[in-house]
PDB file of all heavy atoms in Angstrom:
ATOM      1  N   ALA E 292      17.251   3.674   9.704  1.00 70.00           N
ATOM      2  CA  ALA E 292      16.503   3.477   8.486  1.00 70.00           C
ATOM      3  C   ALA E 292      16.440   2.104   8.261  1.00 70.00           C
ATOM      4  O   ALA E 292      15.320   1.611   7.808  1.00 70.00           O
ATOM      5  CB  ALA E 292      17.240   4.234   7.334  1.00 70.00           C
ATOM      6  N   ILE E 293      17.525   1.209   8.468  1.00 76.00           N
ATOM      7  CA  ILE E 293      17.379  -0.185   8.137  1.00 76.00           C
ATOM      8  C   ILE E 293      16.433  -0.852   9.121  1.00 76.00           C
ATOM      9  O   ILE E 293      15.656  -1.788   8.815  1.00 76.00           O
ATOM     10  CB  ILE E 293      18.793  -0.792   8.327  1.00 76.00           C
ATOM     11  CG1 ILE E 293      19.648  -0.347   7.095  1.00 76.00           C
ATOM     12  CG2 ILE E 293      18.672  -2.383   8.210  1.00 76.00           C
ATOM     13  CD1 ILE E 293      21.128  -0.812   7.347  1.00 76.00           C
ATOM     14  N   THR E 294      16.468  -0.466  10.394  1.00 70.00           N
ATOM     15  CA  THR E 294      15.503  -0.903  11.504  1.00 70.00           C
ATOM     16  C   THR E 294      14.048  -0.575  11.018  1.00 70.00           C
ATOM     17  O   THR E 294      13.172  -1.433  11.161  1.00 70.00           O
ATOM     18  CB  THR E 294      15.762  -0.396  12.819  1.00 70.00           C
ATOM     19  OG1 THR E 294      17.263  -0.659  13.108  1.00 70.00           O
ATOM     20  CG2 THR E 294      14.929  -0.904  13.923  1.00 70.00           C
ATOM     21  N   ALA E 295      13.819   0.587  10.535  1.00 68.00           N
ATOM     22  CA  ALA E 295      12.480   0.970  10.237  1.00 68.00           C
ATOM     23  C   ALA E 295      12.021   0.236   8.982  1.00 68.00           C
ATOM     24  O   ALA E 295      10.800  -0.203   8.961  1.00 68.00           O
ATOM     25  CB  ALA E 295      12.388   2.517   9.845  1.00 68.00           C
ATOM     26  N   LEU E 296      12.983  -0.049   8.017  1.00 69.00           N
ATOM     27  CA  LEU E 296      12.457  -0.884   6.832  1.00 69.00           C
ATOM     28  C   LEU E 296      12.138  -2.337   7.248  1.00 69.00           C
ATOM     29  O   LEU E 296      11.291  -2.986   6.680  1.00 69.00           O
ATOM     30  CB  LEU E 296      13.710  -0.912   5.800  1.00 69.00           C
ATOM     31  CG  LEU E 296      13.718   0.493   5.023  1.00 69.00           C
ATOM     32  CD1 LEU E 296      14.993   0.290   4.181  1.00 69.00           C
ATOM     33  CD2 LEU E 296      12.569   0.798   4.264  1.00 69.00           C
ATOM     34  N   SER E 297      12.781  -2.921   8.430  1.00 70.00           N
ATOM     35  CA  SER E 297      12.551  -4.240   8.638  1.00 70.00           C
ATOM     36  C   SER E 297      11.211  -4.350   9.353  1.00 70.00           C
ATOM     37  O   SER E 297      10.639  -5.432   9.331  1.00 70.00           O
ATOM     38  CB  SER E 297      13.809  -4.743   9.628  1.00 70.00           C
ATOM     39  OG  SER E 297      13.859  -3.925  10.723  1.00 70.00           O
ATOM     40  N   VAL E 298      10.774  -3.430  10.203  1.00 71.00           N
ATOM     41  CA  VAL E 298       9.524  -3.420  10.674  1.00 71.00           C
ATOM     42  C   VAL E 298       8.470  -2.690   9.992  1.00 71.00           C
ATOM     43  O   VAL E 298       7.267  -2.646  10.570  1.00 71.00           O
ATOM     44  CB  VAL E 298       9.547  -2.831  12.124  1.00 71.00           C
ATOM     45  CG1 VAL E 298      10.593  -3.585  13.092  1.00 71.00           C
ATOM     46  CG2 VAL E 298       9.975  -1.367  12.212  1.00 71.00           C
ATOM     47  N   ALA E 299       8.770  -2.276   8.819  1.00 73.00           N
ATOM     48  CA  ALA E 299       7.668  -1.594   8.028  1.00 73.00           C
ATOM     49  C   ALA E 299       6.484  -2.330   7.693  1.00 73.00           C
ATOM     50  O   ALA E 299       5.374  -1.840   7.710  1.00 73.00           O
ATOM     51  CB  ALA E 299       8.384  -0.966   6.769  1.00 73.00           C
ATOM     52  N   PRO E 300       6.654  -3.632   7.213  1.00 77.00           N
ATOM     53  CA  PRO E 300       5.423  -4.403   6.942  1.00 77.00           C
ATOM     54  C   PRO E 300       4.574  -4.583   8.243  1.00 77.00           C
ATOM     55  O   PRO E 300       3.273  -4.499   8.136  1.00 77.00           O
ATOM     56  CB  PRO E 300       6.038  -5.822   6.579  1.00 77.00           C
ATOM     57  CG  PRO E 300       7.359  -5.480   6.086  1.00 77.00           C
ATOM     58  CD  PRO E 300       7.879  -4.498   6.911  1.00 77.00           C
ATOM     59  N   ALA E 301       5.063  -4.784   9.299  1.00 79.00           N
ATOM     60  CA  ALA E 301       4.223  -4.985  10.638  1.00 79.00           C
ATOM     61  C   ALA E 301       3.553  -3.541  10.810  1.00 79.00           C
ATOM     62  O   ALA E 301       2.320  -3.613  11.201  1.00 79.00           O
ATOM     63  CB  ALA E 301       5.022  -5.434  11.744  1.00 79.00           C
ATOM     64  N   LEU E 302       4.212  -2.471  10.718  1.00 79.00           N
ATOM     65  CA  LEU E 302       3.696  -1.302  11.051  1.00 79.00           C
ATOM     66  C   LEU E 302       2.525  -0.888  10.074  1.00 79.00           C
ATOM     67  O   LEU E 302       1.520  -0.288  10.266  1.00 79.00           O
ATOM     68  CB  LEU E 302       4.748  -0.192  11.020  1.00 79.00           C
ATOM     69  CG  LEU E 302       5.750  -0.148  12.095  1.00 79.00           C
ATOM     70  CD1 LEU E 302       6.845   0.944  11.835  1.00 79.00           C
ATOM     71  CD2 LEU E 302       5.228   0.053  13.541  1.00 79.00           C
ATOM     72  N   LEU E 303       2.741  -1.303   8.752  1.00 80.00           N
ATOM     73  CA  LEU E 303       1.819  -1.038   7.694  1.00 80.00           C
ATOM     74  C   LEU E 303       0.567  -1.806   7.921  1.00 80.00           C
ATOM     75  O   LEU E 303      -0.683  -1.242   7.722  1.00 80.00           O
ATOM     76  CB  LEU E 303       2.378  -1.310   6.229  1.00 80.00           C
ATOM     77  CG  LEU E 303       1.584  -1.228   5.214  1.00 80.00           C
ATOM     78  CD1 LEU E 303       1.166   0.267   4.900  1.00 80.00           C
ATOM     79  CD2 LEU E 303       2.283  -1.803   3.863  1.00 80.00           C
ATOM     80  N   LEU E 304       0.553  -2.977   8.390  1.00 82.00           N
ATOM     81  CA  LEU E 304      -0.590  -3.852   8.653  1.00 82.00           C
ATOM     82  C   LEU E 304      -1.326  -3.512   9.771  1.00 82.00           C
ATOM     83  O   LEU E 304      -2.495  -3.698   9.862  1.00 82.00           O
ATOM     84  CB  LEU E 304      -0.131  -5.233   8.560  1.00 82.00           C
ATOM     85  CG  LEU E 304       0.398  -5.977   7.382  1.00 82.00           C
ATOM     86  CD1 LEU E 304       0.789  -7.361   7.451  1.00 82.00           C
ATOM     87  CD2 LEU E 304      -0.731  -5.902   6.231  1.00 82.00           C
ATOM     88  N   LEU E 305      -0.676  -3.173  10.810  1.00 85.00           N
ATOM     89  CA  LEU E 305      -1.181  -3.043  12.278  1.00 85.00           C
ATOM     90  C   LEU E 305      -1.547  -1.662  12.712  1.00 85.00           C
ATOM     91  O   LEU E 305      -2.258  -1.362  13.598  1.00 85.00           O
ATOM     92  CB  LEU E 305      -0.353  -3.738  13.215  1.00 85.00           C
ATOM     93  CG  LEU E 305      -0.021  -5.103  13.070  1.00 85.00           C
ATOM     94  CD1 LEU E 305       0.848  -5.642  14.184  1.00 85.00           C
ATOM     95  CD2 LEU E 305      -1.279  -5.918  12.832  1.00 85.00           C
ATOM     96  N   THR E 306      -1.001  -0.611  11.974  1.00 87.00           N
ATOM     97  CA  THR E 306      -1.127   0.814  12.555  1.00 87.00           C
ATOM     98  C   THR E 306      -1.716   1.696  11.474  1.00 87.00           C
ATOM     99  O   THR E 306      -1.811   2.940  11.730  1.00 87.00           O
ATOM    100  CB  THR E 306       0.138   1.291  13.016  1.00 87.00           C
ATOM    101  OG1 THR E 306       1.201   1.458  11.994  1.00 87.00           O
ATOM    102  CG2 THR E 306       0.725   0.657  14.294  1.00 87.00           C
ATOM    103  N   THR E 307      -2.104   1.188  10.371  1.00 88.00           N
ATOM    104  CA  THR E 307      -2.500   2.011   9.228  1.00 88.00           C
ATOM    105  C   THR E 307      -3.893   1.435   8.733  1.00 88.00           C
ATOM    106  O   THR E 307      -4.315   0.421   9.199  1.00 88.00           O
ATOM    107  CB  THR E 307      -1.523   2.153   8.003  1.00 88.00           C
ATOM    108  OG1 THR E 307      -1.340   0.900   7.442  1.00 88.00           O
ATOM    109  CG2 THR E 307      -0.162   2.598   8.555  1.00 88.00           C
ATOM    110  N   SER E 308      -4.418   2.081   7.647  1.00 88.00           N
ATOM    111  CA  SER E 308      -5.694   1.592   7.127  1.00 88.00           C
ATOM    112  C   SER E 308      -5.514   0.489   6.089  1.00 88.00           C
ATOM    113  O   SER E 308      -6.557   0.222   5.441  1.00 88.00           O
ATOM    114  CB  SER E 308      -6.386   2.810   6.434  1.00 88.00           C
ATOM    115  OG  SER E 308      -5.644   3.524   5.496  1.00 88.00           O
ATOM    116  N   PHE E 309      -4.353  -0.023   5.958  1.00 91.00           N
ATOM    117  CA  PHE E 309      -4.134  -0.940   4.801  1.00 91.00           C
ATOM    118  C   PHE E 309      -4.918  -2.256   5.086  1.00 91.00           C
ATOM    119  O   PHE E 309      -5.420  -2.786   4.101  1.00 91.00           O
ATOM    120  CB  PHE E 309      -2.629  -1.238   4.839  1.00 91.00           C
ATOM    121  CG  PHE E 309      -2.186  -2.279   3.788  1.00 91.00           C
ATOM    122  CD1 PHE E 309      -2.000  -1.956   2.503  1.00 91.00           C
ATOM    123  CD2 PHE E 309      -2.142  -3.739   4.116  1.00 91.00           C
ATOM    124  CE1 PHE E 309      -1.644  -2.925   1.536  1.00 91.00           C
ATOM    125  CE2 PHE E 309      -1.790  -4.548   3.009  1.00 91.00           C
ATOM    126  CZ  PHE E 309      -1.659  -4.156   1.835  1.00 91.00           C
ATOM    127  N   THR E 310      -5.108  -2.745   6.282  1.00 90.00           N
ATOM    128  CA  THR E 310      -5.777  -3.847   6.522  1.00 90.00           C
ATOM    129  C   THR E 310      -7.239  -3.800   6.122  1.00 90.00           C
ATOM    130  O   THR E 310      -7.810  -4.680   5.405  1.00 90.00           O
ATOM    131  CB  THR E 310      -5.658  -4.378   8.024  1.00 90.00           C
ATOM    132  OG1 THR E 310      -4.202  -4.556   8.323  1.00 90.00           O
ATOM    133  CG2 THR E 310      -6.469  -5.650   8.218  1.00 90.00           C
ATOM    134  N   LYS E 311      -7.791  -2.756   6.511  1.00 92.00           N
ATOM    135  CA  LYS E 311      -9.372  -2.529   6.252  1.00 92.00           C
ATOM    136  C   LYS E 311      -9.516  -2.485   4.788  1.00 92.00           C
ATOM    137  O   LYS E 311     -10.489  -3.146   4.128  1.00 92.00           O
ATOM    138  CB  LYS E 311      -9.737  -1.400   7.014  1.00 92.00           C
ATOM    139  CG  LYS E 311     -11.182  -1.031   6.664  1.00 92.00           C
ATOM    140  CD  LYS E 311     -11.634   0.231   7.339  1.00 92.00           C
ATOM    141  CE  LYS E 311     -13.037   0.754   7.115  1.00 92.00           C
ATOM    142  NZ  LYS E 311     -13.400   1.880   7.760  1.00 92.00           N
ATOM    143  N   ILE E 312      -8.693  -1.668   4.097  1.00 92.00           N
ATOM    144  CA  ILE E 312      -8.935  -1.452   2.641  1.00 92.00           C
ATOM    145  C   ILE E 312      -8.673  -2.806   1.742  1.00 92.00           C
ATOM    146  O   ILE E 312      -9.491  -3.125   1.024  1.00 92.00           O
ATOM    147  CB  ILE E 312      -7.938  -0.356   2.131  1.00 92.00           C
ATOM    148  CG1 ILE E 312      -8.287   0.956   2.829  1.00 92.00           C
ATOM    149  CG2 ILE E 312      -7.980  -0.238   0.700  1.00 92.00           C
ATOM    150  CD1 ILE E 312      -7.380   2.077   2.441  1.00 92.00           C
ATOM    151  N   PHE E 313      -7.745  -3.513   2.259  1.00 93.00           N
ATOM    152  CA  PHE E 313      -7.318  -4.672   1.576  1.00 93.00           C
ATOM    153  C   PHE E 313      -8.439  -5.810   1.765  1.00 93.00           C
ATOM    154  O   PHE E 313      -8.789  -6.510   0.787  1.00 93.00           O
ATOM    155  CB  PHE E 313      -5.914  -5.242   1.915  1.00 93.00           C
ATOM    156  CG  PHE E 313      -5.522  -6.499   1.123  1.00 93.00           C
ATOM    157  CD1 PHE E 313      -5.035  -6.258  -0.183  1.00 93.00           C
ATOM    158  CD2 PHE E 313      -5.544  -7.730   1.724  1.00 93.00           C
ATOM    159  CE1 PHE E 313      -4.547  -7.524  -0.805  1.00 93.00           C
ATOM    160  CE2 PHE E 313      -5.108  -8.909   1.042  1.00 93.00           C
ATOM    161  CZ  PHE E 313      -4.588  -8.744  -0.296  1.00 93.00           C
ATOM    162  N   VAL E 314      -8.829  -5.964   2.874  1.00 92.00           N
ATOM    163  CA  VAL E 314     -10.004  -6.889   3.211  1.00 92.00           C
ATOM    164  C   VAL E 314     -11.241  -6.481   2.463  1.00 92.00           C
ATOM    165  O   VAL E 314     -11.921  -7.336   1.776  1.00 92.00           O
ATOM    166  CB  VAL E 314     -10.309  -6.887   4.711  1.00 92.00           C
ATOM    167  CG1 VAL E 314     -11.576  -7.714   4.968  1.00 92.00           C
ATOM    168  CG2 VAL E 314      -9.096  -7.585   5.464  1.00 92.00           C
ATOM    169  N   VAL E 315     -11.619  -5.288   2.365  1.00 92.00           N
ATOM    170  CA  VAL E 315     -12.821  -4.869   1.600  1.00 92.00           C
ATOM    171  C   VAL E 315     -12.598  -5.087   0.162  1.00 92.00           C
ATOM    172  O   VAL E 315     -13.701  -5.647  -0.525  1.00 92.00           O
ATOM    173  CB  VAL E 315     -13.103  -3.395   1.886  1.00 92.00           C
ATOM    174  CG1 VAL E 315     -14.251  -2.872   0.989  1.00 92.00           C
ATOM    175  CG2 VAL E 315     -13.575  -3.121   3.410  1.00 92.00           C
ATOM    176  N   LEU E 316     -11.491  -4.894  -0.336  1.00 92.00           N
ATOM    177  CA  LEU E 316     -11.210  -5.116  -1.790  1.00 92.00           C
ATOM    178  C   LEU E 316     -11.374  -6.681  -2.151  1.00 92.00           C
ATOM    179  O   LEU E 316     -11.946  -7.134  -3.235  1.00 92.00           O
ATOM    180  CB  LEU E 316     -10.031  -4.628  -2.311  1.00 92.00           C
ATOM    181  CG  LEU E 316      -9.857  -3.052  -2.214  1.00 92.00           C
ATOM    182  CD1 LEU E 316      -8.509  -2.605  -2.701  1.00 92.00           C
ATOM    183  CD2 LEU E 316     -10.916  -2.401  -3.095  1.00 92.00           C
ATOM    184  N   GLY E 317     -10.712  -7.479  -1.171  1.00 90.00           N
ATOM    185  CA  GLY E 317     -10.963  -8.913  -1.374  1.00 90.00           C
ATOM    186  C   GLY E 317     -12.281  -9.390  -1.274  1.00 90.00           C
ATOM    187  O   GLY E 317     -12.631 -10.394  -2.066  1.00 90.00           O
ATOM    188  N   LEU E 318     -13.078  -8.877  -0.389  1.00 91.00           N
ATOM    189  CA  LEU E 318     -14.503  -9.347  -0.300  1.00 91.00           C
ATOM    190  C   LEU E 318     -15.253  -9.033  -1.486  1.00 91.00           C
ATOM    191  O   LEU E 318     -16.219  -9.604  -1.839  1.00 91.00           O
ATOM    192  CB  LEU E 318     -15.119  -8.734   1.039  1.00 91.00           C
ATOM    193  CG  LEU E 318     -14.604  -9.220   2.380  1.00 91.00           C
ATOM    194  CD1 LEU E 318     -15.291  -8.500   3.579  1.00 91.00           C
ATOM    195  CD2 LEU E 318     -14.855 -10.773   2.442  1.00 91.00           C
ATOM    196  N   THR E 319     -14.978  -7.807  -2.045  1.00 90.00           N
ATOM    197  CA  THR E 319     -15.696  -7.418  -3.168  1.00 90.00           C
ATOM    198  C   THR E 319     -15.470  -8.401  -4.418  1.00 90.00           C
ATOM    199  O   THR E 319     -16.418  -8.629  -5.194  1.00 90.00           O
ATOM    200  CB  THR E 319     -15.297  -5.943  -3.635  1.00 90.00           C
ATOM    201  OG1 THR E 319     -15.550  -5.092  -2.544  1.00 90.00           O
ATOM    202  CG2 THR E 319     -15.931  -5.401  -4.890  1.00 90.00           C
ATOM    203  N   ARG E 320     -14.192  -8.738  -4.528  1.00 90.00           N
ATOM    204  CA  ARG E 320     -13.816  -9.678  -5.609  1.00 90.00           C
ATOM    205  C   ARG E 320     -14.621 -11.052  -5.337  1.00 90.00           C
ATOM    206  O   ARG E 320     -15.009 -11.630  -6.461  1.00 90.00           O
ATOM    207  CB  ARG E 320     -12.348 -10.027  -5.552  1.00 90.00           C
ATOM    208  CG  ARG E 320     -11.826 -10.825  -6.639  1.00 90.00           C
ATOM    209  CD  ARG E 320     -10.344 -10.998  -6.605  1.00 90.00           C
ATOM    210  NE  ARG E 320      -9.846 -11.700  -5.298  1.00 90.00           N
ATOM    211  CZ  ARG E 320      -8.657 -11.987  -5.076  1.00 90.00           C
ATOM    212  NH1 ARG E 320      -7.705 -11.650  -5.810  1.00 90.00           N
ATOM    213  NH2 ARG E 320      -8.427 -12.519  -3.943  1.00 90.00           N
ATOM    214  N   ASN E 321     -14.614 -11.480  -4.128  1.00 88.00           N
ATOM    215  CA  ASN E 321     -15.322 -12.710  -3.901  1.00 88.00           C
ATOM    216  C   ASN E 321     -16.878 -12.497  -4.114  1.00 88.00           C
ATOM    217  O   ASN E 321     -17.521 -13.589  -4.548  1.00 88.00           O
ATOM    218  CB  ASN E 321     -15.140 -13.178  -2.543  1.00 88.00           C
ATOM    219  CG  ASN E 321     -13.760 -13.501  -2.248  1.00 88.00           C
ATOM    220  OD1 ASN E 321     -13.046 -13.882  -3.143  1.00 88.00           O
ATOM    221  ND2 ASN E 321     -13.102 -13.544  -1.021  1.00 88.00           N
TER     222      ASN E 321
END
């Protein structure tokens, strides 16, 4: 569990839809 928590940010950014959603929201604000 501790190992999973330590690599959770990298997994969230690189293997999920988080990057696409965050970039689109940032471009909308700009």
Side-chain angles (χ1 to χ4, degrees):
I293 295 175
T294 304
L296 290 176
S297 62
V298 300
L302 296 178
L303 179 65
L304 292 174
L305 302 180
T306 61
T307 65
S308 59
F309 179 84
T310 300
K311 177 180 177 180
I312 295 175
F313 186 75
V314 170
V315 170
L316 295 179
L318 290 176
T319 302
R320 182 181 63 180
N321 293 335

